Every structure is written in C-alpha cells, then in structure tokens.
Amino acid sequence: MKARVYFSPNTLDEIDLRDKTIVVIDVLRASTTITYAMNAGAREVIPVGSVDQAMKIVGNLFSTSTILCGERGGKRIEGFKLGNSPAEYTKEAVEGKALILTTTNGAVALTKAKHARHCYIGSFVNLSATVRALSELSDLSQTGLVIICSGREDDFSLEDAVCAGLMLTKLSEKIPEMELTDSARTVLSVYREYGHDIYGTLTQSEHGKYLTSIGFADDIKTASEIDSVPIVPVLEQTVIKKKISF
Ligand code: MLT
C-alpha cells in the first residue's frame, strides 16, 4: 500500500484522486471544526469552495434547518450564522442542521475529493480514530492512501504536516508493509522534529500566530488536543453525512 502526501490542494486535479482513499487535514481549523460539528450532531456538512456557491446552495434549499458557516481571513463571513471556530459548533447551534461550510483552504481541499473511494476528515482531535478507520478498510492496499494537507495560502503549513506525520507513524505500526513516497517520508521527519510539543508547534506556526492575533488563541488549544473526539467524519461525493464512531 502506497502512502503519498500533498502539501496544498491547489495544484491537485480531482480526477487524479479518483478511487483513492483520502484523508483531508486542516488542523487550523476546518477539519477540527468539521469533526466538532459532526460530533455535536450536525445532520450534514456540505463543503463548498466559494461564498457565492454557499449562498446559491442555501437559496435553493429553502430550509430553516440549513445554515451558512465559514470564514474568510479567519473571521466569520458577514451574514453567515457561524464562523470556523470549533467552539461555535455546539449541540445547541448545529444539532439536526445541514451546514453549508466555506473556508479558505480546508473546504477547497474537500471539493477535490468528490471522486474518492473513501474520504475521511482527519486532525489531531480524531487522530487515533482516523488511523483505526483507515486500518479497518479492506481495500486500502488497492486504493493506496493520499493525505491532503490543506496548507495555507497555496503553501505548506507546519501543523498539517506534523499531523500527517503522526498519522502515518501510527498507521505504519498497524500496516508495516506500507510503502512511503518521498512526501510521506518528509512528514515523518517533520513529525519527529516538531511532534514532541504539538501545542507549542501550533502556537508558533504562521497560521497559529495569525489566529492568536485575531482573538482565536483558544482554538489552537482545542485543535492540539489529541484524540479528544473519537469520530471520523466521512465525505461521500460532495456531502459529509456519515461519521464513524469508536
Ligand atoms: C481554512 O480552511 O483555510 C482554515 O480552516 C482557516 C481558518 O483558520 O479558519
């Protein structure tokens, strides 16, 4: 089974991801937030790439149980009900609701995965659950594994690479015959360098510093809590409806 990592979704062609097993990681913050939302009982999350598209979908649905969520520049989009802070995604706010979510990088990465065989949303908060879900797939050796780090501004982000490195470290304990591409070996070594202090690494990352500067320091703490949410959100084509619970 071959494991490959991409450091940004932007150059990826969705056709190249057809029939692959994919994990999309956006530690700060979309994959953490989606995991919180599904754990709090959201009926579904529909990730979309643009604000216009989000408005169009909500307009077509005519439903009071559908809410607009997302960020630009890390802040809630004007007129939207929720931003992209996991703290907002409580049971009261999202239970039974369909969430149309647009974020700068994470939601874009998810839109590329619509032809995947399996697509899981991974982060530190559901790390072991994601590894377990992957290791229980009966067809992983045929599909191979592609981890998409959502990155930041079309570029590499340290927090996603460290998370991918920890995920592959744990997965290789379960699947020792896993074949590592150069990108996979790179995240393993990034994890060895930075994995001893996940919270510190997130705080010192470029996006962590930015989030702190706009008042979201608590989200960094939340996002660094390994295995605090034992579920794996699953994207099926264009919608996250299902979650695997452990
Ligand atoms: C993104 O998708 O770019 C992020 O989740 C940004 C954020 O921190 O809200």
Side-chain angles (χ1 to χ4, degrees), residues 194-209:
Y194 292 98
H196 61 281
D197 178 11
I198 302 289
Y199 175 59
T201 298
L202 265 55
T203 306
Q204 289 309 311
S205 68
E206 288 179 61
H207 196 54
K209 285 184 189 158

Side-chain angles (χ1 to χ4, degrees), residues 47-224:
V48 296
S50 73
V51 175
D52 281 355
Q53 221 181 337
M55 308 278 269
K56 210 162 143 191
I57 294 173
V58 86
N60 289 341
L61 287 176
F62 299 111
S63 162
T64 51
S65 68
T66 302
I67 54 179
L68 282 170
C69 313
E71 58 69 39
R72 284 297 177 272
K75 299 177 189 159
R76 182 169 55 83
I77 298 159
E78 208 185 317
F80 279 32
K81 181 111 178 144
L82 300 176
N84 190 29
S85 168
E88 295 173 271
Y89 289 73
T90 59
K91 204 168 167 216
E92 295 65 40
V94 303
E95 192 172 32
K97 305 245 166 68
L99 316 181
I100 317 288
L101 176 72
T102 180
T103 72
T104 316
N105 303 286
V108 175
L110 285 161
T111 62
K112 303 261 174 149
K114 56 173 174 275
H115 302 302
R117 178 82 58 86
H118 310 282
C119 178
Y120 297 156
I121 288 83
S123 61
F124 286 113
V125 299
N126 67 347
L127 196 115
S128 298
T130 306
V131 170
R132 185 164 161 197
L134 288 170
S135 69
E136 289 181 1
L137 285 171
S138 57
D139 55 357
L140 189 60
S141 59
Q142 286 98 61
T143 64
L145 173 64
V146 176
I147 298 181
I148 306 176
C149 294
S150 301
R152 184 165 189 252
E153 291 168 6
D154 297 353
D155 205 349
F156 179 92
S157 75
L158 185 59
E159 65 279 8
D160 291 346
V162 175
C163 185
L166 176 55
M167 207 170 273
L168 286 181
T169 301
K170 298 256 181 218
L171 192 63
S172 61
E173 288 162 13
K174 290 181 187 284
I175 310 176
E177 65 279 11
M178 190 159 66
E179 192 188 325
L180 300 169
T181 58
D182 288 357
S183 57
R185 294 167 80 103
T186 301
V187 294
L188 290 181
S189 83
V190 171
Y191 170 65
R192 280 195 294 272
E193 176 73 20
Y194 292 98
H196 61 281
D197 178 11
I198 302 289
Y199 175 59
T201 298
L202 265 55
T203 306
Q204 289 309 311
S205 68
E206 288 179 61
H207 196 54
K209 285 184 189 158
Y210 176 70
L211 287 174
T212 301
S213 77
I214 59 169
F216 289 112
D218 287 352
D219 288 356
I220 300 170
K221 184 101 196 97
T222 301
S224 68

Side-chain angles (χ1 to χ4, degrees), residues 21-49:
T21 293
I22 295 172
V23 177
V24 172
I25 296 178
D26 184 6
V27 169
L28 296 175
R29 293 166 294 175
S31 59
T32 303
T33 297
I34 292 169
T35 305
Y36 264 69
M38 291 303 286
N39 195 46
R43 188 173 81 237
E44 60 191 32
V45 178
I46 305 173
V48 296

